[in-house]
Amino acid sequence: MKILTLTLAISLGLAAAPAALAVAAPPPAEAFFENPVFSGAVIAPDGKHLAAKIGAKGKRNMLAVVDLTTQKTQVVAHFSDTDIRNVQWVNEQRLMFDTQDTQTAQGDIRFAPGLYAVDRDGGRFKQLASRRGQGVKQSSVQRDMLPLNTAMLRQAGAQDSDWVYVEDLSVDNWGIAGDSRLLRLNTVTGKTQSIERPGDVQSWLLDQEGRPRLAYSLAKGEVSIKVRDDENTPWRRLTTFKALGLAPDAISPLAFGTGNTLYVKALRGADNTSVFRLDLASGKMDEKPLITLDGYDFRGRLVIQGGKLVGVHYLQDGEGSQWFDPALQALQADIDKLLPQTVNMLDLPAGLQAQNVLVRAYSDVRPSSYYVYDRAAKSLNKVGDTYPAIDSSQMGHQEQVRIKARDGMEVPAMLTLPAQKDAKKLPMVVLVHGGPYLRGTSWGWKPDVQFLASRGYAVLEPEFRGSTGYGEKLFVSGWKQWGLKMQDDIADATKWAVAQGYADPQRICIAGASYGGYATLMGLVNDPGLYRCGVEWAGVTDLKLLVTGHTMYRDDASEESRKYGIPELIGDPEKDAERFQATSPIQQAHRITQPLLMAHGGADLRVPLVHGLQLRDAVQRNNKQVEWIEYEKEGHGWYLPANRIDFWTRVEAFLNRNIGAQAQ
C-alpha cells in the first residue's frame, strides 16, 4: 500500500465580524451545559435504520430508532429512573445498550449501568446484567442475570448474529474496575460462554471476523500483548515493553486486517507516532509507516471494509478523513459540497452495499449535527442537533497556534476569539487542561470555551509540555515539571497573546480543572503580575497528598499507578521533598493574593475534597477575595446539568467583576 503522509490542517481564520453589526444577547448558560438533545447516533449494519439517544430538559434520555426508508421514529427503550448511555447494533435487527443516571450526582449513584438488548421495533426486550448495587437484595429474576460489573466492549463485533462479546470486570471495594474476563453473550437468551484468557487482562481487541485475538495487560509498570491465531490455538506473547514512554519497541494495537495483519501505532525512532503494519506470523513490522501525520502523533480510527483498509479518520489540529478507496473519496467530496462550512465525519455501515451513510457535521462555531446521506439519491437529511439552542453567529472562531517557550520548545495552543469583536486587547481566560498527560484541545465547538467566547472573552488553551499528541519530546519534557517548566509554558503562551495584541495585559484570568486547577493556583503564585484572578475546580493543591493519599479521604489511584506511574511522572515525596514543597500550592498559599474562585466535589475520588478545603482555609488567612463552592455529591467534575449551569453562571459573574465589563 502506498505510504500516506497527511499535512492537512483546519483553519477558518480569526477574522472578526464587522463591529457595526447589532449584538444580540448571548445564549443562556443552559444552552451550553444542558445534556445534548440528540446524541450517540449509530447506523445499522445494513444502513436501513439509525439509533440515537434523544432527550429534553428535565427528561430522561430515550433510545429511538429511525426507519430511514419511511423516516418514522420510534422510541424502543426508556426508563423512569435512568438514562440510555452507550448503544451498539448487535445485528441489523437488534440493539444492545447500557444506562447512566444523569439526574443523580456521583456521590448518590446506587445503581450499576446494567446491560440490555431490544429489537429495533421495541420487541424482545431483555435485561442482561443487573443494575443492583452491592448490598442490595437480589430478586430471583436478577440472580439469573450477569453481575452488575458486566460491561459492553467498545468494539461492536461481527454484527451478524445475536451473539456479542462483553467484559466481566473485577471491581474493588470502591467500585474501581480492574482485570477483564471476556464472555460471549447471546442477547436474546442471556446465555454466555467463557473465553480463555492468558492471565490478567485489561483490554481486548477483536479481529475483522469479530473474534477475540489480542489481549493487553499491564502489571508492574510493564505492558504485555498476547495474540492467538484462532479460537483453537493457544495465546502467545507478541511483545512486552515498559508502560511509560521512551520504550523503542512500544506499540499500541489499532485494528486487525486480513489474515495475520495487525495495524499498530509506534514511534520507531521518530518523535511522532505513526501507523505501521505488523505481521503476526513473523512478529515483524514494516520498516516504513503507512500513515504519518506531520507534527502530530497518530490519533484516530482505521476504516476497514471486507478486510481491506479503505480509509482513516485522524486528528491533527482537528478531525479529518483520508480515503484510499476512490469511491469513498468521491462520496466524501459529494457530502462536503452539500455541507461546505463544516467538518463532515462519515460513519460507514458494516454492509458494503448499504445505501445510507451517517454523517456527523460540526465546526468551531457549530455543535455536532447528524445527517444521513442517501448514496443513490445523493441527498442529505438532517436527523438531529446536539445543542439546537446555539446560534453559530455568536460563537468564536478558533485556530491552533504554535508558540516558542523561553527555552525554545515549541508549544501548541488553541486560540478562540469572540465573534463581533475587534480582536485587540480583549479580556482573556487562559484555560488549562487537566490530566496533565493527555491532549487537551481539538478544533471544534466546546461548551466551556464557547460559553466564555460568547461573553466576550478570548480563550487561550496551551498544550504545555507533558501534553500528549504532539510528539515524544513535548510529552517527556513535562515529567516531574509540575509548577516548573510546565508552568512556564503556560505563562509564555499568555505573554505571547499579549505581545500579539489579542489580550489586555490588565485583564487576564487563569482557569482550569484537576491539573488545570493546580496550574491555576501555581500561576497565581509564580506570575502574580500576569494574572488578575483565578478559577480552579477539582484542583490538586498538595503534591505529597496526591501521591500518598489521605487516611480520612479515599481516592481512586491504583497501586500500579502509585508504585510505577506517579514516581516517574510527578516524583517521590521523600526524594523530591524540596521540590514538592516549592511547587505545592498549599505550601505557597500565602503568596496567592488575587481574587480566586474555588469549586470542589464532596464525592471526588480523583482529587478528594481535602485538597480544596485545606487550600481555601490557608489562602483565606491573608486573602479575603476567595469564593468557595462545594457540590456535596459531585465527583471529579460536574455531572449534573444543574450544577454545570450553576457553576458557569458563577464563573461568568466572577469574571465580569474582575476582568469583564464591571472591572472596566
Side-chain angles (χ1 to χ4, degrees):
M1 179 176 289
K2 183 180 178 181
I3 298 171
L4 172 68
T5 299
L6 299 178
T7 58
L8 303 177
I10 300 166
S11 175
L12 296 187
L14 293 171
L21 292 178
V23 179
E30 289 86 347
F32 296 85
F33 300 110
E34 278 287 355
N35 291 327
V37 172
F38 185 98
S39 62
V42 285
I43 196 164
D46 60 2
K48 295 180 179 180
H49 293 81
L50 182 77
K53 297 180 289 184
I54 60 172
K57 183 179 180 180
K59 302 292 185 181
R60 295 291 187 178
N61 279 342
M62 301 177 287
L63 176 58
V65 174
V66 182
D67 185 323
L68 298 178
T69 302
T70 65
Q71 301 302 312
K72 290 183 178 180
T73 301
Q74 179 181 358
V75 174
V76 300
H78 65 93
F79 301 88
S80 61
D81 64 342
T82 193
D83 302 85
I84 307 298
R85 185 173 65 167
N86 300 305
V87 181
Q88 288 180 359
W89 285 95
V90 176
N91 51 51
E92 61 189 43
Q93 174 71 24
R94 194 156 176 78
L95 291 148
M96 181 173 64
F97 63 92
D98 59 14
T99 69
Q100 66 178 356
D101 186 353
T102 64
Q103 296 182 18
T104 301
Q106 288 143 303
D108 280 336
I109 289 177
R110 296 291 179 266
F111 295 96
L115 194 62
Y116 304 84
V118 66
D119 285 351
R120 69 187 187 208
D121 62 0
R124 294 194 298 173
F125 181 89
K126 175 80 173 176
Q127 184 172 357
L128 301 165
S130 173
R131 281 186 63 218
R132 291 291 182 188
Q134 293 177 343
V136 179
K137 185 177 179 180
Q138 303 279 354
S139 69
S140 58
V141 174
Q142 287 177 322
R143 280 199 297 270
D144 295 332
M145 297 178 190
L146 291 168
L148 57 88
N149 48 298
T150 304
M152 299 168 62
L153 277 182
R154 292 183 180 180
Q155 288 181 273
Q159 297 182 314
D160 60 359
S161 73
D162 291 327
W163 291 83
V164 296
Y165 287 99
V166 296
E167 294 181 277
D168 178 10
L169 300 170
S170 64
V171 179
D172 65 17
N173 292 333
W174 307 121
I176 308 302
D179 297 330
S180 167
R181 185 168 66 96
L182 200 63
L183 301 174
R184 189 166 181 257
L185 167 67
N186 187 297
T187 60
V188 174
T189 66
K191 293 182 178 179
T192 60
Q193 301 170 352
S194 295
I195 304 301
E196 178 194 359
R197 67 174 189 162
D200 292 339
V201 175
Q202 274 69 52
S203 62
W204 306 82
L205 187 65
L206 308 181
D207 65 13
Q208 293 302 310
E209 284 72 46
R211 303 170 300 184
R213 286 188 59 195
L214 185 145
Y216 178 99
S217 303
L218 173 63
K220 297 182 179 180
E222 185 176 78
V223 171
S224 175
I225 296 176
K226 296 180 180 178
V227 296
R228 63 178 181 177
D229 299 321
D230 54 51
E231 294 99 328
N232 301 315
T233 57
W235 291 93
R236 58 186 173 84
R237 189 182 303 276
L238 177 65
T239 185
T240 60
F241 51 87
K242 186 179 178 183
L244 288 173
L246 301 178
D249 55 347
I251 63 171
S252 179
L254 296 172
F256 281 92
T258 55
N260 286 315
T261 296
L262 177 66
Y263 297 107
V264 301
K265 182 170 64 174
L267 280 171
R268 286 301 181 266
D271 186 50
N272 297 106
T273 56
S274 298
V275 177
F276 292 82
R277 181 167 42 200
L278 186 150
D279 181 74
L280 292 174
S282 65
K284 294 182 178 180
M285 187 184 302
D286 290 353
E287 289 294 325
K288 294 183 178 180
L290 286 172
I291 301 167
T292 296
L293 304 179
D294 188 26
Y296 299 85
D297 292 317
F298 177 82
R299 180 175 170 183
R301 181 170 63 87
L302 305 182
V303 183
I304 299 173
Q305 287 197 324
K308 181 182 178 183
L309 180 62
V310 296
V312 57
H313 299 311
Y314 59 85
L315 178 66
Q316 289 185 295
D317 57 343
E319 288 183 287
S321 301
Q322 178 71 34
W323 300 103
F324 310 125
D325 182 286
L328 294 175
Q329 189 174 3
L331 175 66
Q332 179 80 56
D334 289 342
I335 292 171
D336 289 345
K337 287 179 183 178
L338 295 173
L339 296 170
Q341 299 300 317
T342 53
V343 173
N344 307 307
M345 304 302 294
L346 279 53
D347 186 3
L348 305 177
L352 298 180
Q353 305 305 317
Q355 180 172 325
N356 296 308
V357 174
L358 178 63
V359 180
R360 176 173 57 89
Y362 72 94
S363 74
D364 51 351
V365 298
R366 278 189 53 182
S368 291
S369 297
Y370 290 91
Y371 297 81
V372 172
Y373 180 78
D374 185 320
R375 293 195 200 191
K378 293 194 173 184
S379 62
L380 196 66
N381 293 310
K382 182 187 285 189
V383 290
D385 294 311
T386 50
Y387 293 92
I390 294 298
D391 180 355
S392 62
S393 68
Q394 296 178 303
M395 302 296 106
H397 282 295
Q398 294 182 319
E399 185 169 311
Q400 188 184 85
V401 296
R402 300 273 175 151
I403 296 160
K404 288 288 186 181
R406 64 192 66 180
D407 63 356
M409 176 74 75
E410 186 179 75
V411 177
M414 192 68 73
L415 177 65
T416 306
L417 298 180
Q420 299 178 345
K421 285 277 188 180
D422 182 6
K424 293 183 184 298
K425 289 196 173 182
L426 298 169
M428 186 173 76
V429 177
V430 180
L431 193 59
V432 187
H433 72 72
Y437 304 107
L438 49 75
R439 177 165 172 169
T441 66
S442 173
W443 187 93
W445 191 89
K446 288 173 59 181
D448 52 357
V449 172
Q450 292 294 355
F451 176 74
L452 295 171
S454 73
R455 270 58 186 168
Y457 299 103
V459 181
L460 183 68
E461 301 172 89
E463 295 278 26
F464 46 85
R465 67 194 72 197
S467 300
T468 61
Y470 303 94
E472 193 79 351
K473 182 180 178 182
L474 187 73
F475 168 49
V476 175
S477 63
W479 293 11
K480 299 183 181 180
Q481 290 298 311
W482 286 48
L484 301 172
K485 290 184 179 180
M486 294 166 76
Q487 199 70 42
D488 291 343
D489 289 345
I490 298 167
D492 292 345
T494 306
K495 293 172 183 176
W496 171 89
V498 172
Q500 295 296 311
Y502 295 121
D504 181 344
Q506 303 303 315
R507 294 190 295 158
I508 301 174
C509 190
I510 185 169
S514 193
Y515 173 83
Y518 165 88
T520 293
L521 298 170
M522 288 306 299
L524 299 179
V525 170
N526 289 0
D527 299 285
L530 192 58
Y531 304 113
R532 175 70 183 85
C533 58
V535 180
E536 76 86 11
W537 61 107
V540 174
T541 69
D542 186 338
L543 292 186
K544 183 176 181 180
L545 182 61
L546 178 68
V547 175
T548 63
H550 192 283
T551 56
M552 295 179 62
Y553 292 84
R554 62 188 178 95
D555 62 43
D556 62 2
S558 67
E559 287 305 311
E560 180 79 20
S561 67
R562 289 198 197 280
K563 189 171 182 180
Y564 299 101
I566 290 176
E568 286 270 13
L569 297 172
I570 302 174
D572 182 280
E574 302 303 326
K575 297 178 181 177
D576 302 309
E578 186 176 341
R579 176 164 58 83
F580 274 34
Q581 176 88 6
T583 57
S584 284
I586 189 60
Q587 303 296 338
Q588 308 297 325
H590 61 283
R591 297 169 59 189
I592 299 176
T593 58
Q594 306 93 318
L596 174 63
L597 176 62
M598 302 179 64
H600 284 256
D604 193 342
L605 295 181
R606 186 63 49 84
V607 179
L609 181 63
V610 62
H611 279 266
L613 292 174
Q614 66 173 5
L615 187 82
R616 177 201 64 185
D617 294 344
V619 174
Q620 282 182 335
R621 295 189 188 104
N622 301 298
N623 183 353
K624 302 306 179 186
Q625 302 180 90
V626 179
E627 298 179 37
W628 171 259
I629 308 169
E630 182 179 333
Y631 297 113
E632 181 184 0
K633 298 298 183 179
E634 286 284 16
H636 198 60
W638 319 138
Y639 189 75
L640 295 182
N643 288 341
R644 293 198 297 268
I645 294 165
D646 176 76
F647 172 72
W648 284 101
T649 300
R650 290 171 184 252
V651 170
E652 180 181 11
F654 177 84
L655 293 174
N656 192 37
R657 287 194 303 273
N658 289 286
I659 63 171
Q662 280 185 275
Q664 280 186 293

